[in-house]
Amino acid sequence: MATPVSLPPIDWERPWLQAWREPGQRVACAVGAGVALHQALNAVQPAPVCFAPQCTLPSGEAYESFIARTRLCPTREGSHDFFNGLCWMRFPQTKRKLNQLQAAEITAAGIAPVRGPVRDALTVFDENAAFLSAPQPLWDALIARDWNSLFLTHRALWQEAQLVLFGHALLEKLLQPRKPITAHVYLAQPAMNSIAELDAWVAADLSAAKLASKPFAPLPVLGVPGWWPENENFSFYDDSLVFRPQRLP
C-alpha cells in the first residue's frame, strides 16, 4: 500500500477554488494528519465510487473499465488524484457519465495506440474542462478568440458571468498559477444556480456524438477579471504566445 504523501500548500481563497473549498479543506486536513488519500476521500463525503489504493487496479485492465466494472476508483497519493477525488464528490453525475462513455468506447474499440476522437475529447474534458455562463458578447468573443473584446472591451460583463473549473489536471496546475494555463471551456451554457444543478445539466448534455465534435474553446484562466492581480495592467493581454489569435481554416 502506498505511503501517505502530504499535499502541496493550497490557497483556498483563490477564486477558481470556490467550488472546491468544501469538501476539499476537510480532505486536505485529513491527509495532512497522515491519513492515506483514498481513506480521507472515503471518509469525508459519499461519491458514486469507493476510492481504493492504486494497487487495486489489475495489471492489464484499463482504468476506466475497472471503475465501470467495480465502482472502485484506484487512487494515487498526491494532488492530481486529490482533485480527481473531489470531482467525484462535487460532480458525481458528470463523472459517472464520463466513465460510462469511456468504458463504452473501450468495449467497442479496445485499447489502441490512438484513442480516437471520442476518447480524446473525454480525456480533455475530464482533465481540463471548465463551464461558463456568460452574456452573449463574452461568448462570441471567446469563440472568436477575440481577446481584446473578451477581456477589455466587455470587461464589465464579467461581473454577470460565472466560470467553474472542472478538470482535475487543470486545478492541479493552478496550485502554481502561471499565465499560460488554459482551460477548455465546454461549448454550452449550463444552468448554474448550484453545483448540483450544474452537475445534472452537464451529465444530461454529454454524449459521444457531441464530444466527437470537439466542443471546446480555449480560455487562459488567469486572464479572467478578478482572478489574477496582474491582469489589471492591460499589457498582460499583449502576450501573443498565450492569447493566440484564431487559426484560419
Side-chain angles (χ1 to χ4, degrees):
M1 185 174 294
T3 302
V5 176
S6 61
L7 295 168
I10 301 173
D11 182 356
W12 292 104
E13 298 305 312
R14 298 290 196 191
W16 52 85
L17 289 178
Q18 180 179 350
W20 303 97
R21 194 173 297 141
E22 173 56 43
Q25 287 180 310
R26 289 190 286 148
V27 176
C29 183
V31 171
V35 178
L37 178 58
H38 71 279
Q39 294 173 328
L41 290 165
N42 286 331
V44 164
Q45 182 173 311
V49 293
C50 183
F51 301 97
Q54 180 68 19
C55 62
T56 307
L57 177 65
S59 177
E61 182 168 6
Y63 170 83
E64 297 89 352
S65 299
F66 178 74
I67 293 174
R69 178 174 67 83
T70 66
R71 297 291 183 97
L72 294 175
C73 180
T75 303
R76 299 161 297 183
E77 298 294 322
S79 54
H80 188 84
D81 283 9
F82 166 76
F83 281 114
N84 185 48
L86 294 186
C87 200
W88 274 104
M89 294 177 186
R90 297 295 276 149
F91 288 88
Q93 295 185 60
T94 300
K95 287 290 284 185
R96 186 71 182 139
K97 183 67 170 288
L98 290 171
N99 179 245
Q100 290 169 346
L101 292 170
Q102 282 276 22
E105 288 295 310
I106 292 170
T107 298
I111 299 295
V114 178
R115 284 191 176 123
V118 176
R119 288 199 67 208
D120 274 346
L122 283 163
T123 300
V124 169
F125 192 108
D126 196 29
E127 299 277 351
N128 213 58
F131 309 123
L132 176 66
S133 176
Q136 194 61 43
L138 293 183
W139 268 105
D140 294 342
L142 173 65
I143 292 169
R145 301 192 194 184
D146 183 348
W147 309 116
N148 186 73
S149 294
L150 181 66
F151 292 124
L152 299 178
T153 304
H154 301 305
R155 194 173 184 86
L157 289 180
W158 279 97
Q159 297 178 20
E160 303 172 35
Q162 289 179 277
L163 178 66
V164 175
L165 306 190
F166 173 87
H168 54 280
L170 174 64
L171 291 161
E172 182 189 28
K173 285 184 284 188
L174 282 164
L175 291 177
Q176 295 181 308
R178 295 177 296 106
K179 190 176 183 178
I181 294 174
T182 299
H184 285 71
V185 173
Y186 185 54
L187 293 178
Q189 285 245 45
M192 284 199 185
N193 295 323
S194 68
I195 292 297
E197 183 176 339
L198 172 60
D199 178 38
W201 192 97
V202 174
D205 191 62
L206 281 171
S207 69
K210 183 165 185 175
L211 286 165
S213 70
K214 298 182 180 179
F216 305 111
L219 175 65
V221 293
L222 295 186
V224 174
W227 275 34
W228 195 240
E230 292 179 22
N231 72 40
E232 292 299 322
N233 182 335
F234 293 165
S235 65
F236 182 86
Y237 302 105
D238 293 338
D239 187 345
S240 62
L241 295 178
V242 175
F243 300 98
R244 300 178 182 182
Q246 189 172 42
R247 293 178 182 176
L248 295 175

